[in-house]
Amino acid sequence: MTERSFPNWGRLGQSLVLALVLPLWACGGSGGGSSASAPAVVPDCGSACMADRLSVADVETIVAQTVVQAQAQGARATIAVTDRVGNVLAVFSMTGAAETFRVDGGRGVRGGLEQVDVLPSAAAAISKALTGAYLSSAGNAFSTRTASQIIQENFNPQETSQPSGPLFGVQFSQLSCSDLMRRATDNTSLGPKRAPLGLSADPGGLPVYKNGRLVGGVGVIADGVYGLDLDIRDVDADLDEQLALAAVRGFEAPFDILASRITADGRSLRYADATATSPLPALSALPGSLTEVGGYFSPATVRAGVAFGTADSGIRKDNTTFAPLGGYILVDAANNNLYPPRSSMDGLVSAAEAQQLLSSALEVANRSRAQIRRPNGSAAQVSISVVGLDGEILGIVRTPDAPVFGLDVAVQKARSAAFFSKASSAAALSALPDAKYLKPEAVSPIAPYLTHLRSFLNRPTALSDGLAFSARSIGNLARPMFPDGVASTDNGPLSKPLTSWSPFNVGLQLDLSINAIVNAAMGDLSFGCTGLPNLQNGLQIFPGGFPLYRVSGNTVQLVGAVGISGDGVDQDDMIAFLGIANASRILGNGLGHAPISMRADGIALPGGRLRYVQCPQAPFNNSDEQNVCAGL
């Protein structure tokens, strides 16, 4: 196959995004004890890990191992390798590999991105590789199969009368249109880089480890279908996953941190079903060629990865504001903090207040017991964001080993909470153009979601009366069953009905971004996913974001929001909720949570009340403290 160049499919993926996964989230604690034969988990070493990056030879080995396995199975694959912050190090198309793939959620529905079959295979391979890299860390190794398990309408999939997956909706993050995610066209190694299809739930994406440390991801597509695993009760011989397992031979994740060693809400996670066999030759002898991918991999030359935790990666340890708490920050090409605490342009939040909110949340995270990490008793690893009333980023900080995906998601959660709590949001939604579907061609208007929401809540003024919505509250309304997971009930007002729902046709979350996805498919690289300046990187619908208010006498004013992502969703909720409460006590100037009477959980519905916050049991290491969010 000759070298070819694809256009910038930008957000295209955005949504294709399937599903992602990751922070698992939700729910429950870590898995059982360590195996005596398992490799030890190597702790994250931040900027000291200069040697822990993929070399050109490493990348060539990963590609070659994949191709050899594909030849042994008579398959023709497209392979992508990335580093931990999303730089694409290689895209290789075997001779005869399909240039496009078909999106198929396996539910026989139409609409959204379902059955779209014109997208380039390289986009799928890159998104799979980024998913393996972005969802994993030194304490957890998650694959695209893991993502599949935690984004479906039930957790576990097909387990009736169970709520949706803990990371329901995470597939619509890392979008190409996100103002937080960086483009490869800036010619720097700084991450995090965007994913052409967002996060993926199609088996065949795995993290890559070297010397026991996470250094990147690999993604493979050879079967021509971009879907997910609808039934985890069986063991699949998935071709893409078999090839990905061959790819990481010698670069495997430490056994003790595999998803299969971790539980969520008492359920074991899945890492891989397939097995792989076979050895290897030089890249130049392989049937196929490196493939230039516009906006992601150009020129078509294998490159080395960047060392995570260094300034070149775009993520490094802070040496000023957050240094005492071990915080890490995003930096620009001059190694300056890209999102330092700053005042909002409207003057409603000061730089000092943003700094205190970030510091208070970081302090809670450092004390919190992780829910999706090994070994047991590890501290939570999260990304923390503060945004202003209109979504402007007022500061970002993260813990050293937080999964990279959480950076974009933390901002999404904060912006979503602020947007839904703002009194002008009804008018903004009503003014948006219709979402346009590709196959078959159809439109899905945005305004009816608002009409359905108001009817569902029996609140004619919803989204124009200042009711405070958390990310969890929004998520309650965006599930295909309400209450969540209860069979034979109607869908929430922000979701498609279950009969037409799939991870590629979810409802408002996708419909807000799908037009940007289509534009990206035609080469548009502009920022902004939804047409709403408040939601530039898209809507997010799982817990961990809260609106921020200033109370003075009888005056209550919405001023911004805080978002957290990276650990269990209850952990994310708690860190954001307590971070605001603790900062409020320290500041003592009226900045803090919405008054209880204004919160969405005050609405009584036939199926039960909306939820505003849910905090985990015994959440802190070295403490038996309980009910830590009560009364706040």
Side-chain angles (χ1 to χ4, degrees):
M1 175 177 289
T2 58
E3 178 177 291
R4 61 183 186 275
S5 178
F6 292 121
N8 295 306
W9 335 284
R11 318 117 176 213
L12 182 170
Q14 289 160 112
S15 260
L16 240 214
V17 168
L18 279 195
L20 295 300
V21 330
L22 353 176
L24 189 201
W25 314 291
C27 322
S30 300
S34 301
S35 166
S37 60
V41 177
V42 179
D44 178 72
C45 58
S47 59
C49 289
M50 292 302 296
D52 293 326
R53 61 174 181 162
L54 288 168
S55 67
V56 168
D58 293 334
V59 175
E60 291 181 345
T61 296
I62 290 168
V63 171
Q65 290 181 156
T66 315
V67 173
V68 168
Q69 182 72 28
Q71 287 180 303
Q73 296 186 225
R76 302 292 180 264
T78 300
I79 305 131
V81 182
T82 71
D83 64 16
R84 187 173 176 178
V85 294
N87 292 300
V88 179
L89 310 181
V91 177
F92 188 91
S93 297
M94 292 180 65
T95 302
E99 294 196 8
T100 61
F101 62 91
R102 176 172 55 88
V103 179
D104 191 346
R107 295 175 51 86
V109 305
R110 293 293 184 271
L113 291 163
E114 283 284 355
Q115 305 308 313
V116 171
D117 57 3
V118 296
L119 305 176
S121 296
I126 293 170
S127 279
K128 287 186 178 191
L130 281 167
T131 300
Y134 280 7
L135 294 184
S136 301
S137 71
N140 70 291
F142 288 172
S143 66
T144 51
R145 184 179 292 278
T146 316
S148 174
Q149 183 182 357
I150 58 180
I151 62 161
Q152 297 190 47
E153 71 273 23
N154 296 117
F155 183 63
N156 281 319
Q158 296 197 13
E159 187 174 340
T160 59
S161 299
Q162 293 297 326
S164 54
L167 289 195
F168 186 93
V170 74
Q171 66 268 32
F172 297 101
S173 66
Q174 329 305 314
L175 301 182
S176 296
C177 50
S178 169
D179 59 329
L180 182 84
M181 307 305 291
R182 286 159 158 157
R183 279 108 167 96
T185 50
D186 61 10
N187 295 317
T188 76
S189 59
L190 303 178
K193 294 295 200 303
R194 62 191 179 126
L197 308 183
L199 291 178
S200 174
D202 185 29
L206 298 175
V208 175
Y209 286 75
K210 184 176 179 181
N211 301 323
R213 296 187 177 95
L214 178 64
V215 291
V218 62
V220 182
I221 186 163
D223 61 12
V225 176
Y226 195 70
L228 66 166
D229 183 3
L230 291 173
D231 188 354
I232 69 167
R233 295 170 298 181
D234 59 7
V235 176
D236 301 327
D238 185 90
L239 175 61
D240 295 351
E241 190 171 71
Q242 290 173 340
L243 302 184
L245 284 168
V248 299
R249 186 177 294 108
F251 299 91
E252 296 94 344
F255 174 78
D256 199 48
I257 65 170
L258 294 180
S260 53
R261 300 280 297 162
I262 296 172
T263 63
D265 204 21
R267 294 165 172 82
S268 296
L269 298 177
R270 297 292 278 272
Y271 184 71
D273 282 4
T275 57
T277 54
S278 73
L280 134 99
L283 194 64
S284 59
L286 299 175
S289 64
L290 292 166
T291 301
E292 184 171 301
V293 181
Y296 294 90
F297 181 63
S298 178
T301 303
V302 175
R303 59 209 63 174
V306 65
F308 183 79
T310 65
D312 287 343
S313 74
I315 299 172
R316 64 157 172 85
K317 188 173 183 178
D318 189 26
N319 54 17
T320 56
T321 306
F322 304 109
L325 293 170
Y328 274 56
I329 56 174
L330 293 173
V331 295
D332 61 19
N335 197 22
N336 298 314
N337 190 346
L338 192 59
Y339 298 106
R342 64 191 73 181
S343 300
S344 58
M345 290 186 291
D346 55 19
L348 296 178
V349 179
S350 70
E353 290 169 335
Q355 179 176 321
Q356 187 59 61
L357 288 161
L358 293 166
S359 294
S360 290
L362 184 55
E363 187 274 334
V364 175
N366 288 341
R367 295 190 294 120
S368 298
R369 180 181 292 109
Q371 298 295 290
I372 57 157
R373 299 180 66 82
R374 300 279 299 164
N376 294 336
S378 297
Q381 298 286 332
V382 297
S383 295
I384 304 163
S385 69
V386 176
V387 304
L389 182 61
D390 292 319
E392 60 179 309
I393 298 174
L394 305 184
I396 292 176
V397 68
R398 47 174 279 135
T399 58
D401 193 40
V404 171
F405 86 96
L407 286 163
D408 190 57
V409 173
V411 175
Q412 285 184 319
K413 290 179 182 181
R415 285 174 168 171
S416 298
F419 177 77
F420 268 75
S421 302
K422 192 175 181 182
S424 60
S425 294
L429 285 175
S430 298
L432 289 175
D434 296 344
K436 296 179 181 179
Y437 295 165
L438 302 180
K439 195 167 185 179
E441 292 187 6
V443 297
S444 178
I446 301 299
Y449 288 108
L450 175 62
T451 302
H452 190 187
L453 174 69
R454 288 176 160 177
S455 174
F456 188 86
L457 298 180
N458 191 26
R459 194 179 182 98
T461 57
L463 301 194
S464 62
D465 57 11
L467 184 70
F469 284 90
S470 67
R472 185 181 290 272
S473 305
I474 299 165
N476 288 166
L477 299 167
R479 276 19 181 200
M481 292 170 275
F482 186 91
D484 190 11
V486 178
S488 302
T489 59
D490 291 335
N491 56 290
L494 306 183
S495 172
K496 297 289 188 182
L498 186 59
T499 53
S500 59
W501 179 93
S502 87
F504 301 101
N505 189 37
V506 299
L508 180 64
Q509 185 188 26
L510 171 60
D511 285 358
L512 287 176
S513 296
I514 196 168
N515 292 347
I517 294 169
V518 173
N519 291 339
M522 296 186 293
D524 182 4
L525 294 179
S526 60
F527 293 102
C529 296
T530 65
L532 297 165
N534 326 57
L535 296 176
Q536 289 201 53
N537 60 335
L539 178 67
Q540 196 47 259
I541 55 175
F542 67 98
F546 295 92
L548 185 66
Y549 291 79
R550 192 178 302 279
V551 180
S552 177
N554 295 324
T555 302
V556 180
Q557 184 178 20
L558 177 69
V559 298
V562 173
I564 308 289
S565 189
D567 203 84
V569 290
D570 290 353
Q571 295 294 106
D572 292 349
D573 242 14
M574 180 191 71
I575 294 168
F577 194 74
L578 292 185
I580 293 174
N582 293 348
S584 179
R585 281 193 292 267
I586 293 169
L587 292 167
N589 60 3
L591 187 70
H593 282 297
I596 292 175
S597 61
M598 289 179 55
R599 299 177 189 175
D601 57 359
I603 298 179
L605 300 170
R609 293 181 182 273
L610 297 178
R611 300 298 297 273
Y612 194 74
V613 61
Q614 180 169 313
C615 295
Q617 298 176 342
F620 299 125
N621 286 315
N622 305 313
S623 171
D624 59 2
E625 187 176 2
Q626 297 280 14
N627 301 319
V628 297
C629 295
L632 297 176

